[in-house]
Amino acid sequence: MKIRILIFLQLLYFPLFAQEGNIYQYLKQKWSKEFSSAKDITTTYHDNIKRMDKKNIPLTIQNNCFMILKSGEYITQNNGEKEDIKPLLRQIPTIELNDPTVVAFMQQNSPGQWTDYYYMIQALKKGETFDAARDGISISTQFLARPLNHNDYTKLKDIFSSNNKLLHDTYLEKMKFLFRNNGCPEEIAELRPTIESHVEDSPLKQEILKLYTQYEPLSKGQSAPLSSMKDTNGKTYSFADFRGKVIIVDVWATWCCSCIEKMPKFMQLKDEFKQYKDILFLTISIDRKSDQNKWLKAIKENNMTEMLNLISAPSANSHFETEYHINGVPRYFIIDKEGKIVTVFAPGPGKEMKALIQNTLKQ
């Protein structure tokens, strides 16, 4: 009789778990289906809890990890809009990112994506909107890029303050993208001491510290590099020639479709500030010298002749693209009346840029 009971219990409590290595594979199979509702997710989660040995802590943690993964996928796929998401959030357990079982799980399940889901869920639980809660650090084909916000910076600070080497390496890689697209704003600069003191030394860490050194001269309040540029008549300029004016710059190229598409919005913004005498809107092309005729033609075709249009003019002592780390276009600058950088990674022409310009004019 006792033998029958033992056999029954073995069948009841995950026979596949006779060996520890089968735990993950069993749960992966249970969680592998497509979930059409939050109820499906919570049902799978609680069914696993009912069947598992509560003393098996690693198993419990892995089930929690899968719950976060599948909930994150479901919330993201539905843009945080479905009504069943709020009750789903209440069912998602708290988890410790530095737990060895969690680290092992991340190694098998895209650590960056899983961690992004984890922090998104935490922000949603606090009442943040989906757009504010979702990851703003990585490139996404599903969503439009948005400026980094307090959730993104909090996530980076938490990760680099931890002792999780896997996440350190994952997010140091992401830092390369942040520098290229955001420069070194104050919030990124504040992460440097944490990275220096908490992250194990490696070639990747040294690469990031080198990027700090490269981009810090382009931070807010620094003097704008006085790169050499020429207008359509060949006259040479630098930003020093415009002291006393707030300078708004659109960096573009004739081969850049996005640049051409956004140019009318830039010119519209220029018209909105035409009553101000202490502001100057101008464009800087990074077209090569051999493409100068294309540049001149594009200026006429796109009705840009009422603006000051400049083209990068590299010299032995000056190179605009290098000094401003132009890795892609369009890029937008705002420089104050004293020639100090407000931002050389400004948002595109629109409400946010307009607000930045208005604040700069008041100073």
Side-chain angles (χ1 to χ4, degrees):
M1 183 67 180
K2 289 182 179 180
I3 294 175
R4 289 179 180 177
I5 293 173
L6 286 172
I7 292 173
F8 172 77
L9 289 173
Q10 286 178 341
L11 290 172
L12 179 64
Y13 289 114
F14 296 126
L16 290 176
F17 295 161
Q19 295 180 4
E20 190 73 18
N22 287 328
I23 295 176
Y24 172 78
Q25 292 302 325
Y26 180 88
L27 283 175
K28 186 176 181 180
Q29 180 183 1
K30 296 294 288 184
W31 283 102
S32 63
K33 65 180 181 179
E34 292 293 322
F35 293 96
S36 59
S37 69
K39 184 178 180 180
D40 288 344
I41 296 172
T42 55
T43 297
T44 298
Y45 176 67
H46 289 293
D47 282 350
N48 288 340
I49 291 175
K50 289 176 183 177
R51 296 191 63 195
M52 70 175 61
D53 179 357
K54 294 180 180 180
K55 294 180 180 179
N56 192 325
I57 304 302
L59 175 57
T60 301
I61 293 173
Q62 292 205 47
N63 192 46
N64 291 345
C65 288
F66 272 113
M67 177 66 163
I68 291 170
L69 177 64
K70 293 302 179 179
S71 297
E73 289 176 355
Y74 179 77
I75 292 166
T76 302
Q77 288 167 2
N78 291 284
N79 300 325
E81 294 174 351
K82 281 204 167 185
E83 292 183 0
D84 61 358
I85 288 175
K86 283 188 177 181
L88 172 63
L89 291 172
R90 292 194 290 269
Q91 297 289 324
I92 301 173
T94 302
I95 209 162
E96 174 54 56
L97 290 183
N98 293 323
D99 186 283
T101 303
V102 176
V103 174
F105 181 91
M106 287 191 285
Q107 287 174 325
Q108 300 178 73
N109 290 278
S110 182
Q113 185 181 60
W114 186 89
T115 305
D116 289 340
Y117 287 155
Y118 170 83
Y119 278 97
M120 175 187 72
I121 288 167
Q122 301 311 307
L124 289 171
K125 285 183 174 183
K126 294 176 182 177
E128 298 273 6
T129 65
F130 171 72
D131 192 57
R134 70 175 176 83
D135 176 61
I137 296 171
S138 307
I139 293 177
S140 169
T141 56
Q142 187 175 355
F143 305 107
L144 292 173
R146 63 157 173 76
L148 296 178
N149 65 20
H150 62 284
N151 292 316
D152 299 310
Y153 292 124
T154 296
K155 173 165 61 178
L156 290 170
K157 186 176 180 180
D158 283 352
I159 287 168
F160 291 130
S161 297
S162 74
N163 59 4
N164 191 320
K165 186 179 185 303
L166 175 63
L167 291 185
H168 288 175
D169 291 344
T170 301
Y171 282 85
L172 283 177
E173 281 290 343
K174 294 190 178 194
M175 288 286 285
K176 298 179 188 178
F177 169 80
L178 292 185
F179 278 111
R180 287 195 298 269
N181 292 275
N182 300 274
C184 188
E186 182 179 351
E187 296 87 349
I188 293 292
E190 288 176 352
L191 292 172
R192 182 170 187 168
T194 303
I195 293 172
E196 289 177 328
S197 61
H198 286 75
V199 176
E200 182 179 318
D201 196 27
S202 68
L204 179 56
K205 175 182 175 179
Q206 292 305 316
E207 184 179 356
I208 297 304
L209 295 179
K210 185 177 179 181
L211 287 173
Y212 269 108
T213 302
Q214 292 174 353
Y215 279 89
E216 281 174 347
L218 297 178
S219 300
K220 183 178 180 180
Q222 298 290 329
S223 295
L226 302 178
S227 308
S228 177
M229 299 163 282
K230 291 185 177 181
D231 68 7
T232 54
N233 296 314
K235 182 178 177 181
T236 301
Y237 288 91
S238 77
F239 289 135
D241 295 306
F242 312 122
R243 291 279 168 83
K245 292 181 180 289
V246 172
I247 310 167
I248 316 300
V249 183
D250 183 335
V251 185
W252 71 298
T254 58
W255 43 261
C256 169
C257 296
S258 179
C259 298
I260 302 298
E261 181 183 341
K262 293 178 181 179
M263 191 62 72
K265 295 180 181 179
F266 185 75
M267 292 188 287
Q268 180 182 341
L269 195 60
K270 169 184 175 292
D271 290 339
E272 291 182 31
F273 287 91
K274 61 185 178 182
Q275 74 273 24
Y276 292 88
K277 303 299 182 184
D278 53 352
I279 190 170
L280 174 66
F281 284 75
L282 60 87
T283 72
I284 300 175
S285 169
I286 61 169
D287 282 287
R288 298 295 172 254
K289 189 176 181 179
S290 58
D291 293 324
Q292 185 154 343
N293 288 335
K294 290 182 182 179
W295 171 59
L296 294 171
K297 182 181 178 183
I299 289 171
K300 292 180 180 178
E301 288 179 346
N302 292 285
N303 302 312
M304 298 163 56
T305 53
E306 292 185 5
M307 278 192 296
L308 176 60
N309 296 288
L310 304 175
I311 191 167
S312 173
S315 66
N317 301 316
S318 172
H319 196 299
F320 173 75
E321 291 175 61
T322 301
E323 291 168 332
Y324 284 92
H325 296 289
I326 305 297
N327 298 302
V329 286
R331 271 266 298 276
Y332 302 96
F333 301 175
I334 300 177
I335 299 169
D336 70 17
K337 297 175 185 179
E338 297 179 356
K340 305 289 187 183
I341 292 172
V342 175
T343 175
V344 290
F345 292 89
K351 292 181 180 179
E352 288 184 72
M353 179 184 273
K354 184 175 181 178
L356 275 172
I357 295 171
Q358 289 172 329
N359 289 336
T360 305
L361 286 168
K362 292 175 183 177
Q363 295 173 2

